Amino acid sequence: MPTATQTPSAVAPARAAGRRVPGPDWLWAALLTLAVTTFRAGTPQLWRDELASWNAASRGTGDLIAMLGHVDAVSGLYYLLLHGWVAVFGDSAAMLRLPSALAMAGTAALTVVIARRLFDRRTAVFAGLLFALLPAVTRYGTEARSYAFVMLAVTAATWLLLRALDRPRPARWAAYALLVAVSGLLHMVALLFLLPHALIAAMRWWRDRRGRTAVSFAVAVAVGLLPVVPLVLLGRSQVGRQISWIRTPRMRDIAGLWDNLFGSPLVALGIAALALLPLAWSRGRRPAVELLLCGAVPIVAVYLVSQGSTSYFIDRYVLFTLPAWAVLAAAGAAALKPRPAGAAALAALILLGLPDQRQLRTERAKETADGRAAAKIIAEGYRPGDGFVPLRGGEERVYMTDFQVEYYLPDRVRPRDVFAERSAVASDDLFPVECARPEQCLGDTRRIWLVTRDTAKKDPYGKLPADQTAALKSHYKIAEARHVRGLYVTLLERTS
């Protein structure tokens, strides 16, 4: 209640000042997250999605833009950013993943700021610790894909929305519109965050009855969506090639998504229990409801949308909800009495995730097939003029066996891709155009390195297309066959 010497306008700045993060809370959260996500970040082998990022980012700018016109346009902004990064810092696994670690660190900082704004410093400290040590943060903070950047953009947009709703300013709404555009350009499914944001804006309008709030929000969203519309249209035309493998979800699949969202079933269970607590206390109910909307509505929406012709129901597509859940769980832990109980609950959550944290830093954490070992065999036995035949036909190309091996081959080892009639770069695609008549593409190649995936029959030819298998068997014999984890590496020598 303002005193006689205090006007309401004088009280508002004081209240806002009380919400500021005292000291370096946001900074230590960012540094802790960066330390966690960079620790042994180069140890796990790159998996196929990361290899697609490497392949795209390694192209010339013109070649990359041409490729996006045919495939993976929805990842175009990320590929362009990674392209510039690789040009400066190289393409080692650690360097490919470092941008994602930096994005996660930025998200951690914003998570603390949001927690402090909506609750108190104790909640902010808990949120920073919990977010930094979630297994999923490690998983996607060490992933050369766009998901950490999406999380950063959406979390920044949420922070800007809260600021704009509390104290509307044209500059704040303009910044919010920019973040809407960036989020959509990084991943169009991320635009589902606009649903809870619209509900929050409506709730604030209903409470304050400030007519300009609804108008400002609608205008900011419309402006932000303008540059995203062409990408959405292009992405829809490419969707069949990229995510047709995601199946239509059933109700029971929500539990699996929830577990995967946090990278640990036990941690997911603990988060669910703590996140419900703030809803039971009147003091923190309003911000808790707003955060619950940010966390739950996109998950429900992606489930409903995925009942149509195209499914988007996969945990990493809604990873941007993670900060909201972290703050909710932190608020629940911070409100427990006596106070040591909250710290104990937080410590228990972190300890439950330790086995998953250890597993995420092993060599096979992301990819079970050992492309590094296969590349080593080829490099040791390589002769100039050798050919290369990776398993790439039909549905098998999604495993990107050729990328798995090519990434780890030294620069001096460049066998000819025998059955590639036109290279991926020349085709403006992720994959080359395969020879329609494989036998004619063999040329005078004397030796060929054949790499296929492990099969129950232990057949070196595995699931190689029948016409390619027939061409190789007609003119080559097996000189050497070696098995590495998940792959067969076979040296073929010409007989006729």
Side-chain angles (χ1 to χ4, degrees):
M1 194 70 181
T3 66
T5 58
Q6 287 179 308
T7 66
S9 60
V11 174
R15 188 181 297 116
R19 287 177 174 174
R20 292 184 190 130
V21 180
D25 290 349
W26 62 268
L27 179 59
W28 66 252
L31 292 176
L32 176 61
T33 303
L34 186 62
V36 170
T37 51
T38 54
F39 177 64
R40 299 190 66 186
T43 300
Q45 290 196 32
L46 298 176
W47 77 294
R48 56 181 179 266
D49 280 13
E50 293 183 290
L51 289 166
S53 296
W54 161 73
N55 182 278
S58 300
R59 303 182 185 209
T61 305
D63 292 330
L64 173 55
I65 293 173
M67 184 200 83
L68 297 176
H70 295 87
V71 65
D72 235 0
V74 294
S75 300
L77 178 58
Y78 172 72
Y79 286 162
L80 288 167
L81 292 171
L82 190 63
H83 169 74
W85 176 271
V86 166
V88 177
F89 298 103
D91 64 354
S92 69
M95 284 297 103
L96 285 171
R97 291 164 174 162
L98 182 55
S100 293
L102 293 169
M104 278 298 188
T107 306
L110 288 166
T111 300
V112 169
V113 172
I114 290 172
R116 185 67 177 94
R117 186 176 192 89
L118 295 178
F119 295 100
D120 51 30
R121 189 185 184 191
R122 180 175 171 84
T123 299
V125 171
F126 279 17
L129 283 169
L130 179 57
F131 180 85
L133 296 171
L134 285 175
V137 169
T138 296
R139 169 73 169 83
Y140 291 101
T142 56
E143 179 123 324
R145 295 297 286 174
S146 65
Y147 307 114
F149 285 87
V150 173
M151 192 188 298
L152 174 62
V154 172
T155 308
T158 301
W159 176 64
L160 286 169
L161 176 70
L162 295 174
R163 284 167 56 86
L165 291 175
D166 284 344
R167 301 183 66 182
R169 297 285 188 276
R172 292 181 176 181
W173 286 116
Y176 179 75
L178 176 63
L179 265 298
V180 169
V182 171
S183 301
L185 291 173
L186 284 168
H187 204 279
M188 64 182 189
V189 179
L191 292 173
L192 291 174
F193 81 87
L194 292 174
L195 296 177
H197 281 199
L199 293 173
I200 292 170
M203 290 165 58
R204 295 288 187 98
W205 172 82
W206 183 260
R207 188 186 67 181
D208 301 333
R209 296 305 173 104
R210 291 189 302 203
R212 286 187 300 176
T213 297
V215 174
S216 298
F217 174 78
V219 170
V221 170
V223 171
L225 288 178
L226 282 177
V228 183
V229 171
L231 176 66
V232 172
L233 296 176
L234 183 57
R236 287 293 301 169
S237 69
Q238 298 175 357
V239 73
R241 285 195 56 186
Q242 294 177 230
I243 58 173
S244 58
W245 55 272
I246 303 178
R247 62 186 180 86
T248 301
R250 300 180 180 180
M251 285 295 295
R252 63 172 178 266
D253 295 323
I254 294 178
L257 180 140
W258 181 258
D259 291 347
N260 293 332
L261 182 62
F262 298 96
S264 166
L266 292 176
V267 172
L269 184 62
I271 292 282
L274 288 175
L276 294 175
L277 294 180
L279 299 173
W281 296 310
S282 58
R283 181 175 64 87
R285 187 172 297 154
R286 182 186 61 79
V289 168
E290 292 180 349
L291 285 171
L292 182 64
L293 291 173
C294 289
V297 169
I299 295 176
V300 174
V302 80
Y303 174 83
L304 294 175
V305 169
S306 296
Q307 301 305 311
S309 58
T310 302
S311 177
Y312 305 91
F313 195 77
I314 191 168
D315 57 285
R316 52 183 178 265
Y317 287 3
V318 290
L319 193 71
F320 59 84
T321 65
L322 213 57
W325 294 116
V327 176
L328 266 178
L336 289 174
K337 303 295 182 184
R339 288 171 70 86
L346 182 69
L349 266 182
I350 293 170
L351 289 173
L352 287 173
L354 284 182
D356 299 285
Q357 291 279 5
R358 285 195 295 268
Q359 194 279 330
L360 286 167
R361 289 168 172 81
T362 60
E363 187 181 21
R364 62 179 75 182
K366 298 173 183 285
E367 176 56 62
T368 56
D370 195 347
R372 181 186 288 120
K376 183 179 179 181
I377 292 172
I378 295 174
E380 289 175 348
Y382 174 74
R383 296 178 189 172
D386 281 357
F388 176 49
V389 173
L391 178 62
R392 193 170 48 212
E395 295 180 357
E396 297 301 316
R397 69 177 182 176
V398 300
Y399 294 107
M400 299 186 185
T401 305
D402 46 352
F403 295 175
Q404 276 187 286
V405 176
E406 289 168 357
Y407 175 78
Y408 293 105
L409 286 176
D411 291 340
R412 64 174 181 81
V413 180
R414 284 293 174 264
R416 181 176 75 89
D417 196 334
V418 173
F419 291 139
E421 187 173 351
R422 192 164 69 251
S423 72
V425 173
S427 305
D428 296 332
D429 204 309
L430 270 176
F431 305 102
V433 175
E434 300 270 273
C435 286
R437 299 179 179 180
E439 193 159 353
Q440 294 181 3
C441 293
L442 293 174
D444 59 356
T445 307
R446 302 304 305 171
R447 305 193 326 157
I448 291 176
W449 295 96
L450 170 65
V451 180
T452 56
R453 296 184 66 83
D454 194 2
T455 64
K457 295 181 179 179
K458 307 299 182 184
D459 177 11
Y461 291 93
K463 296 182 180 180
L464 199 69
D467 54 352
Q468 295 182 7
T469 300
L472 292 174
K473 287 185 173 181
S474 297
H475 299 282
Y476 294 84
K477 67 178 181 180
I478 296 176
E480 178 184 354
R482 296 178 64 178
H483 176 253
V484 299
R485 188 181 72 245
L487 297 172
Y488 267 108
V489 182
T490 306
L491 175 60
L492 304 175
E493 292 186 346
R494 196 171 187 102
T495 58
S496 61

